[in-house]
mmCIF file of all heavy atoms in Angstrom:
data_model
loop_
_atom_site.group_PDB
_atom_site.id
_atom_site.type_symbol
_atom_site.label_atom_id
_atom_site.label_comp_id
_atom_site.label_asym_id
_atom_site.label_seq_id
_atom_site.Cartn_x
_atom_site.Cartn_y
_atom_site.Cartn_z
ATOM 1 N N LEU A 205 8.904 -13.813 -12.452
ATOM 2 C CA LEU A 205 7.760 -14.081 -11.573
ATOM 3 C C LEU A 205 8.018 -13.418 -10.222
ATOM 4 O O LEU A 205 9.151 -13.328 -9.783
ATOM 5 C CB LEU A 205 7.565 -15.590 -11.403
ATOM 6 C CG LEU A 205 7.258 -16.404 -12.673
ATOM 7 C CD1 LEU A 205 6.842 -17.823 -12.298
ATOM 8 C CD2 LEU A 205 6.113 -15.754 -13.473
ATOM 9 N N ASN A 206 6.947 -12.999 -9.600
ATOM 10 C CA ASN A 206 7.136 -12.175 -8.397
ATOM 11 C C ASN A 206 6.304 -12.566 -7.191
ATOM 12 O O ASN A 206 6.265 -11.859 -6.191
ATOM 13 C CB ASN A 206 6.891 -10.691 -8.725
ATOM 14 C CG ASN A 206 5.445 -10.425 -9.069
ATOM 15 O OD1 ASN A 206 4.676 -11.346 -9.303
ATOM 16 N ND2 ASN A 206 5.064 -9.177 -9.124
ATOM 17 N N ARG A 207 5.594 -13.707 -7.266
ATOM 18 C CA ARG A 207 4.839 -14.135 -6.109
ATOM 19 C C ARG A 207 5.065 -15.650 -5.857
ATOM 20 O O ARG A 207 4.831 -16.455 -6.775
ATOM 21 C CB ARG A 207 3.328 -13.944 -6.293
ATOM 22 C CG ARG A 207 2.911 -12.484 -6.479
ATOM 23 C CD ARG A 207 2.929 -11.721 -5.164
ATOM 24 N NE ARG A 207 2.479 -10.344 -5.333
ATOM 25 C CZ ARG A 207 3.227 -9.310 -5.629
ATOM 26 N NH1 ARG A 207 4.533 -9.454 -5.760
ATOM 27 N NH2 ARG A 207 2.719 -8.106 -5.776
ATOM 28 N N PHE A 208 5.546 -15.978 -4.653
ATOM 29 C CA PHE A 208 5.714 -17.383 -4.294
ATOM 30 C C PHE A 208 4.640 -17.737 -3.282
ATOM 31 O O PHE A 208 4.622 -17.228 -2.168
ATOM 32 C CB PHE A 208 7.089 -17.592 -3.699
ATOM 33 C CG PHE A 208 7.353 -19.018 -3.238
ATOM 34 C CD1 PHE A 208 7.260 -20.102 -4.135
ATOM 35 C CD2 PHE A 208 7.748 -19.271 -1.934
ATOM 36 C CE1 PHE A 208 7.514 -21.415 -3.695
ATOM 37 C CE2 PHE A 208 8.005 -20.585 -1.496
ATOM 38 C CZ PHE A 208 7.889 -21.627 -2.384
ATOM 39 N N HIS A 209 3.718 -18.569 -3.721
ATOM 40 C CA HIS A 209 2.591 -19.010 -2.853
ATOM 41 C C HIS A 209 3.082 -20.320 -2.190
ATOM 42 O O HIS A 209 3.276 -21.306 -2.848
ATOM 43 C CB HIS A 209 1.394 -19.196 -3.768
ATOM 44 C CG HIS A 209 0.235 -19.928 -3.129
ATOM 45 N ND1 HIS A 209 -0.933 -20.210 -3.791
ATOM 46 C CD2 HIS A 209 0.071 -20.479 -1.910
ATOM 47 C CE1 HIS A 209 -1.756 -20.897 -3.026
ATOM 48 N NE2 HIS A 209 -1.167 -21.053 -1.872
ATOM 49 N N TRP A 210 3.277 -20.188 -0.902
ATOM 50 C CA TRP A 210 3.915 -21.265 -0.160
ATOM 51 C C TRP A 210 2.863 -22.032 0.629
ATOM 52 O O TRP A 210 2.352 -21.531 1.631
ATOM 53 C CB TRP A 210 4.977 -20.624 0.792
ATOM 54 C CG TRP A 210 6.075 -21.536 1.210
ATOM 55 C CD1 TRP A 210 6.272 -22.833 0.886
ATOM 56 C CD2 TRP A 210 7.140 -21.153 2.055
ATOM 57 N NE1 TRP A 210 7.415 -23.297 1.450
ATOM 58 C CE2 TRP A 210 7.988 -22.282 2.194
ATOM 59 C CE3 TRP A 210 7.519 -19.988 2.696
ATOM 60 C CZ2 TRP A 210 9.124 -22.277 2.970
ATOM 61 C CZ3 TRP A 210 8.671 -19.961 3.504
ATOM 62 C CH2 TRP A 210 9.475 -21.112 3.614
ATOM 63 N N HIS A 211 2.555 -23.245 0.166
ATOM 64 C CA HIS A 211 1.492 -24.074 0.729
ATOM 65 C C HIS A 211 2.133 -24.818 1.915
ATOM 66 O O HIS A 211 2.690 -25.918 1.775
ATOM 67 C CB HIS A 211 0.994 -25.023 -0.348
ATOM 68 C CG HIS A 211 -0.207 -25.818 0.027
ATOM 69 N ND1 HIS A 211 -1.484 -25.299 0.020
ATOM 70 C CD2 HIS A 211 -0.342 -27.107 0.416
ATOM 71 C CE1 HIS A 211 -2.353 -26.239 0.372
ATOM 72 N NE2 HIS A 211 -1.657 -27.352 0.615
ATOM 73 N N LEU A 212 2.012 -24.232 3.102
ATOM 74 C CA LEU A 212 2.809 -24.661 4.266
ATOM 75 C C LEU A 212 2.156 -25.689 5.156
ATOM 76 O O LEU A 212 2.832 -26.285 5.999
ATOM 77 C CB LEU A 212 3.136 -23.431 5.116
ATOM 78 C CG LEU A 212 4.266 -22.520 4.580
ATOM 79 C CD1 LEU A 212 4.224 -21.158 5.246
ATOM 80 C CD2 LEU A 212 5.630 -23.172 4.822
ATOM 81 N N ALA A 213 0.853 -25.865 4.995
ATOM 82 C CA ALA A 213 0.210 -26.836 5.897
ATOM 83 C C ALA A 213 -0.919 -27.507 5.175
ATOM 84 O O ALA A 213 -1.727 -26.852 4.502
ATOM 85 C CB ALA A 213 -0.289 -26.168 7.165
ATOM 86 N N ASP A 214 -0.961 -28.817 5.240
ATOM 87 C CA ASP A 214 -2.007 -29.631 4.616
ATOM 88 C C ASP A 214 -2.122 -30.900 5.449
ATOM 89 O O ASP A 214 -1.510 -31.028 6.496
ATOM 90 C CB ASP A 214 -1.607 -29.906 3.160
ATOM 91 C CG ASP A 214 -2.811 -30.158 2.257
ATOM 92 O OD1 ASP A 214 -3.591 -31.078 2.590
ATOM 93 O OD2 ASP A 214 -2.942 -29.507 1.225
ATOM 94 N N ASP A 215 -2.898 -31.840 4.954
ATOM 95 C CA ASP A 215 -3.125 -33.092 5.698
ATOM 96 C C ASP A 215 -1.815 -33.814 6.055
ATOM 97 O O ASP A 215 -1.715 -34.451 7.063
ATOM 98 C CB ASP A 215 -3.946 -34.073 4.842
ATOM 99 C CG ASP A 215 -5.400 -33.626 4.741
ATOM 100 O OD1 ASP A 215 -5.955 -33.199 5.752
ATOM 101 O OD2 ASP A 215 -5.938 -33.723 3.649
ATOM 102 N N ASN A 216 -0.854 -33.722 5.160
ATOM 103 C CA ASN A 216 0.295 -34.640 5.262
ATOM 104 C C ASN A 216 1.531 -33.996 5.871
ATOM 105 O O ASN A 216 2.633 -34.591 5.775
ATOM 106 C CB ASN A 216 0.580 -35.242 3.886
ATOM 107 C CG ASN A 216 -0.675 -35.786 3.269
ATOM 108 O OD1 ASN A 216 -1.221 -35.192 2.357
ATOM 109 N ND2 ASN A 216 -1.192 -36.875 3.836
ATOM 110 N N GLY A 217 1.369 -32.830 6.481
ATOM 111 C CA GLY A 217 2.495 -32.235 7.170
ATOM 112 C C GLY A 217 2.245 -30.771 7.452
ATOM 113 O O GLY A 217 1.778 -30.028 6.570
ATOM 114 N N TRP A 218 2.552 -30.345 8.678
ATOM 115 C CA TRP A 218 2.545 -28.910 9.052
ATOM 116 C C TRP A 218 3.998 -28.478 9.028
ATOM 117 O O TRP A 218 4.830 -29.076 9.712
ATOM 118 C CB TRP A 218 1.916 -28.759 10.426
ATOM 119 C CG TRP A 218 1.822 -27.335 10.851
ATOM 120 C CD1 TRP A 218 2.856 -26.563 11.316
ATOM 121 C CD2 TRP A 218 0.678 -26.502 10.854
ATOM 122 N NE1 TRP A 218 2.411 -25.307 11.588
ATOM 123 C CE2 TRP A 218 1.072 -25.233 11.300
ATOM 124 C CE3 TRP A 218 -0.671 -26.691 10.485
ATOM 125 C CZ2 TRP A 218 0.187 -24.161 11.411
ATOM 126 C CZ3 TRP A 218 -1.545 -25.627 10.613
ATOM 127 C CH2 TRP A 218 -1.114 -24.391 11.055
ATOM 128 N N ARG A 219 4.327 -27.450 8.273
ATOM 129 C CA ARG A 219 5.720 -27.181 7.980
ATOM 130 C C ARG A 219 6.266 -25.861 8.517
ATOM 131 O O ARG A 219 7.372 -25.469 8.194
ATOM 132 C CB ARG A 219 5.931 -27.182 6.455
ATOM 133 C CG ARG A 219 5.487 -28.461 5.780
ATOM 134 C CD ARG A 219 6.533 -29.531 5.866
ATOM 135 N NE ARG A 219 6.076 -30.792 5.277
ATOM 136 C CZ ARG A 219 6.148 -31.957 5.897
ATOM 137 N NH1 ARG A 219 6.692 -32.062 7.085
ATOM 138 N NH2 ARG A 219 5.680 -33.034 5.347
ATOM 139 N N ILE A 220 5.516 -25.151 9.334
ATOM 140 C CA ILE A 220 6.024 -23.884 9.840
ATOM 141 C C ILE A 220 6.034 -23.887 11.356
ATOM 142 O O ILE A 220 4.994 -24.217 11.986
ATOM 143 C CB ILE A 220 5.235 -22.648 9.271
ATOM 144 C CG1 ILE A 220 5.672 -21.362 9.967
ATOM 145 C CG2 ILE A 220 3.742 -22.859 9.343
ATOM 146 C CD1 ILE A 220 5.156 -20.124 9.282
ATOM 147 N N GLU A 221 7.165 -23.545 11.939
ATOM 148 C CA GLU A 221 7.266 -23.524 13.394
ATOM 149 C C GLU A 221 6.350 -22.448 13.961
ATOM 150 O O GLU A 221 6.387 -21.292 13.537
ATOM 151 C CB GLU A 221 8.717 -23.171 13.777
ATOM 152 C CG GLU A 221 8.917 -23.052 15.261
ATOM 153 C CD GLU A 221 10.277 -22.484 15.653
ATOM 154 O OE1 GLU A 221 10.835 -21.706 14.863
ATOM 155 O OE2 GLU A 221 10.762 -22.794 16.745
ATOM 156 N N ILE A 222 5.504 -22.850 14.924
ATOM 157 C CA ILE A 222 4.668 -21.930 15.670
ATOM 158 C C ILE A 222 5.037 -22.118 17.107
ATOM 159 O O ILE A 222 4.802 -23.159 17.694
ATOM 160 C CB ILE A 222 3.143 -22.201 15.419
ATOM 161 C CG1 ILE A 222 2.804 -22.130 13.918
ATOM 162 C CG2 ILE A 222 2.288 -21.263 16.256
ATOM 163 C CD1 ILE A 222 2.953 -20.786 13.238
ATOM 164 N N LYS A 223 5.624 -21.076 17.692
ATOM 165 C CA LYS A 223 6.208 -21.246 19.012
ATOM 166 C C LYS A 223 5.169 -21.573 20.085
ATOM 167 O O LYS A 223 5.410 -22.362 20.992
ATOM 168 C CB LYS A 223 6.985 -19.993 19.395
ATOM 169 C CG LYS A 223 8.119 -19.726 18.428
ATOM 170 C CD LYS A 223 9.292 -19.050 19.045
ATOM 171 C CE LYS A 223 10.285 -18.599 18.008
ATOM 172 N NZ LYS A 223 11.407 -19.378 17.722
ATOM 173 N N LYS A 224 3.982 -21.015 19.928
ATOM 174 C CA LYS A 224 2.951 -21.250 20.931
ATOM 175 C C LYS A 224 2.376 -22.669 20.847
ATOM 176 O O LYS A 224 1.825 -23.153 21.839
ATOM 177 C CB LYS A 224 1.855 -20.199 20.770
ATOM 178 C CG LYS A 224 0.847 -20.220 21.883
ATOM 179 C CD LYS A 224 0.248 -18.886 22.133
ATOM 180 C CE LYS A 224 -0.614 -19.010 23.409
ATOM 181 N NZ LYS A 224 -1.423 -17.859 23.644
ATOM 182 N N TYR A 225 2.467 -23.264 19.693
ATOM 183 C CA TYR A 225 1.899 -24.630 19.506
ATOM 184 C C TYR A 225 3.001 -25.547 18.954
ATOM 185 O O TYR A 225 2.964 -25.926 17.784
ATOM 186 C CB TYR A 225 0.679 -24.557 18.570
ATOM 187 C CG TYR A 225 -0.409 -23.730 19.155
ATOM 188 C CD1 TYR A 225 -0.578 -22.390 18.795
ATOM 189 C CD2 TYR A 225 -1.277 -24.270 20.097
ATOM 190 C CE1 TYR A 225 -1.571 -21.629 19.377
ATOM 191 C CE2 TYR A 225 -2.285 -23.513 20.683
ATOM 192 C CZ TYR A 225 -2.426 -22.190 20.317
ATOM 193 O OH TYR A 225 -3.388 -21.437 20.905
ATOM 194 N N PRO A 226 3.902 -25.954 19.807
ATOM 195 C CA PRO A 226 5.089 -26.673 19.294
ATOM 196 C C PRO A 226 4.738 -28.056 18.726
ATOM 197 O O PRO A 226 5.479 -28.527 17.884
ATOM 198 C CB PRO A 226 5.973 -26.839 20.570
ATOM 199 C CG PRO A 226 5.069 -26.600 21.731
ATOM 200 C CD PRO A 226 4.022 -25.672 21.256
ATOM 201 N N TYR A 227 3.625 -28.656 19.157
ATOM 202 C CA TYR A 227 3.303 -29.964 18.588
ATOM 203 C C TYR A 227 2.986 -29.925 17.102
ATOM 204 O O TYR A 227 3.021 -30.945 16.413
ATOM 205 C CB TYR A 227 2.104 -30.631 19.320
ATOM 206 C CG TYR A 227 2.455 -31.120 20.720
ATOM 207 C CD1 TYR A 227 1.433 -31.461 21.584
ATOM 208 C CD2 TYR A 227 3.751 -31.237 21.155
ATOM 209 C CE1 TYR A 227 1.733 -31.914 22.869
ATOM 210 C CE2 TYR A 227 4.045 -31.687 22.408
ATOM 211 C CZ TYR A 227 3.053 -32.046 23.287
ATOM 212 O OH TYR A 227 3.338 -32.495 24.544
ATOM 213 N N LEU A 228 2.605 -28.706 16.625
ATOM 214 C CA LEU A 228 2.301 -28.650 15.196
ATOM 215 C C LEU A 228 3.451 -29.136 14.353
ATOM 216 O O LEU A 228 3.256 -29.787 13.337
ATOM 217 C CB LEU A 228 1.975 -27.204 14.793
ATOM 218 C CG LEU A 228 0.604 -26.651 15.242
ATOM 219 C CD1 LEU A 228 0.476 -25.166 14.951
ATOM 220 C CD2 LEU A 228 -0.553 -27.425 14.557
ATOM 221 N N THR A 229 4.689 -28.868 14.829
ATOM 222 C CA THR A 229 5.844 -29.373 14.080
ATOM 223 C C THR A 229 6.517 -30.558 14.776
ATOM 224 O O THR A 229 7.088 -31.392 14.111
ATOM 225 C CB THR A 229 6.871 -28.254 13.840
ATOM 226 O OG1 THR A 229 7.028 -27.506 15.047
ATOM 227 C CG2 THR A 229 6.386 -27.338 12.730
ATOM 228 N N LYS A 230 6.397 -30.644 16.073
ATOM 229 C CA LYS A 230 6.989 -31.798 16.776
ATOM 230 C C LYS A 230 6.266 -33.088 16.333
ATOM 231 O O LYS A 230 6.877 -34.152 16.161
ATOM 232 C CB LYS A 230 6.861 -31.691 18.301
ATOM 233 C CG LYS A 230 7.992 -30.859 18.893
ATOM 234 C CD LYS A 230 8.079 -31.085 20.391
ATOM 235 C CE LYS A 230 9.319 -30.387 20.929
ATOM 236 N NZ LYS A 230 9.000 -29.558 22.083
ATOM 237 N N LYS A 231 4.932 -32.971 16.176
ATOM 238 C CA LYS A 231 4.158 -34.136 15.732
ATOM 239 C C LYS A 231 3.724 -33.995 14.294
ATOM 240 O O LYS A 231 3.848 -34.910 13.474
ATOM 241 C CB LYS A 231 2.927 -34.310 16.632
ATOM 242 C CG LYS A 231 3.242 -34.586 18.067
ATOM 243 C CD LYS A 231 1.963 -34.809 18.846
ATOM 244 C CE LYS A 231 2.260 -35.165 20.309
ATOM 245 N NZ LYS A 231 1.065 -35.547 21.028
ATOM 246 N N GLY A 232 3.158 -32.826 13.980
ATOM 247 C CA GLY A 232 2.474 -32.675 12.704
ATOM 248 C C GLY A 232 3.354 -32.548 11.487
ATOM 249 O O GLY A 232 2.886 -32.541 10.383
ATOM 250 N N ALA A 233 4.698 -32.457 11.733
ATOM 251 C CA ALA A 233 5.600 -32.354 10.563
ATOM 252 C C ALA A 233 6.164 -33.718 10.180
ATOM 253 O O ALA A 233 7.046 -33.783 9.322
ATOM 254 C CB ALA A 233 6.733 -31.392 10.894
ATOM 255 N N TRP A 234 5.674 -34.813 10.804
ATOM 256 C CA TRP A 234 6.337 -36.099 10.603
ATOM 257 C C TRP A 234 5.336 -37.181 10.277
ATOM 258 O O TRP A 234 4.215 -37.205 10.804
ATOM 259 C CB TRP A 234 7.143 -36.486 11.871
ATOM 260 C CG TRP A 234 8.136 -35.432 12.187
ATOM 261 C CD1 TRP A 234 7.974 -34.403 13.094
ATOM 262 C CD2 TRP A 234 9.387 -35.228 11.554
ATOM 263 N NE1 TRP A 234 9.066 -33.582 13.039
ATOM 264 C CE2 TRP A 234 9.969 -34.062 12.131
ATOM 265 C CE3 TRP A 234 10.092 -35.901 10.570
ATOM 266 C CZ2 TRP A 234 11.210 -33.574 11.740
ATOM 267 C CZ3 TRP A 234 11.336 -35.447 10.192
ATOM 268 C CH2 TRP A 234 11.879 -34.275 10.748
ATOM 269 N N ARG A 235 5.736 -38.097 9.379
ATOM 270 C CA ARG A 235 4.894 -39.251 9.031
ATOM 271 C C ARG A 235 5.697 -40.493 9.221
ATOM 272 O O ARG A 235 6.918 -40.470 9.118
ATOM 273 C CB ARG A 235 4.497 -39.143 7.557
ATOM 274 C CG ARG A 235 3.902 -37.864 7.117
ATOM 275 C CD ARG A 235 3.209 -38.003 5.779
ATOM 276 N NE ARG A 235 4.029 -38.204 4.623
ATOM 277 C CZ ARG A 235 4.284 -37.239 3.732
ATOM 278 N NH1 ARG A 235 3.809 -36.032 3.888
ATOM 279 N NH2 ARG A 235 5.059 -37.512 2.690
ATOM 280 N N GLY A 236 4.974 -41.605 9.467
ATOM 281 C CA GLY A 236 5.690 -42.885 9.523
ATOM 282 C C GLY A 236 5.406 -43.633 10.790
ATOM 283 O O GLY A 236 4.513 -43.292 11.578
ATOM 284 N N PRO A 237 6.177 -44.718 10.987
ATOM 285 C CA PRO A 237 5.915 -45.604 12.132
ATOM 286 C C PRO A 237 5.961 -44.847 13.460
ATOM 287 O O PRO A 237 6.906 -44.110 13.716
ATOM 288 C CB PRO A 237 7.050 -46.629 12.071
ATOM 289 C CG PRO A 237 7.579 -46.550 10.716
ATOM 290 C CD PRO A 237 7.329 -45.174 10.213
ATOM 291 N N GLY A 238 4.904 -44.964 14.228
ATOM 292 C CA GLY A 238 4.862 -44.346 15.556
ATOM 293 C C GLY A 238 4.531 -42.869 15.533
ATOM 294 O O GLY A 238 4.376 -42.254 16.576
ATOM 295 N N GLU A 239 4.346 -42.260 14.353
ATOM 296 C CA GLU A 239 3.991 -40.856 14.279
ATOM 297 C C GLU A 239 2.477 -40.683 14.219
ATOM 298 O O GLU A 239 1.749 -41.631 13.923
ATOM 299 C CB GLU A 239 4.638 -40.210 13.034
ATOM 300 C CG GLU A 239 6.154 -40.277 13.008
ATOM 301 C CD GLU A 239 6.792 -39.505 14.149
ATOM 302 O OE1 GLU A 239 6.172 -38.527 14.614
ATOM 303 O OE2 GLU A 239 7.888 -39.898 14.597
ATOM 304 N N VAL A 240 2.019 -39.430 14.452
ATOM 305 C CA VAL A 240 0.542 -39.239 14.378
ATOM 306 C C VAL A 240 0.067 -39.315 12.940
ATOM 307 O O VAL A 240 -1.125 -39.603 12.690
ATOM 308 C CB VAL A 240 0.097 -37.928 15.040
ATOM 309 C CG1 VAL A 240 0.364 -37.962 16.533
ATOM 310 C CG2 VAL A 240 0.743 -36.683 14.405
ATOM 311 N N LEU A 241 0.929 -39.053 11.996
ATOM 312 C CA LEU A 241 0.507 -39.104 10.583
ATOM 313 C C LEU A 241 1.060 -40.388 9.953
ATOM 314 O O LEU A 241 2.228 -40.739 10.162
ATOM 315 C CB LEU A 241 1.027 -37.905 9.817
ATOM 316 C CG LEU A 241 0.474 -36.541 10.252
ATOM 317 C CD1 LEU A 241 1.159 -35.441 9.450
ATOM 318 C CD2 LEU A 241 -1.034 -36.481 10.023
#
Side-chain angles (χ1 to χ4, degrees):
L205 297 188
N206 66 348
R207 297 285 184 269
F208 178 58
H209 167 180
W210 203 0
H211 188 79
L212 282 162
D214 205 305
D215 288 318
N216 311 105
W218 181 283
R219 305 277 177 230
I220 172 168
E221 177 190 28
I222 301 295
K223 299 210 190 262
K224 189 151 187 188
Y225 297 97
Y227 286 168
L228 286 172
T229 44
K230 276 198 174 129
K231 296 184 177 186
W234 303 97
R235 309 197 288 256
E239 299 297 331
V240 294
L241 296 176

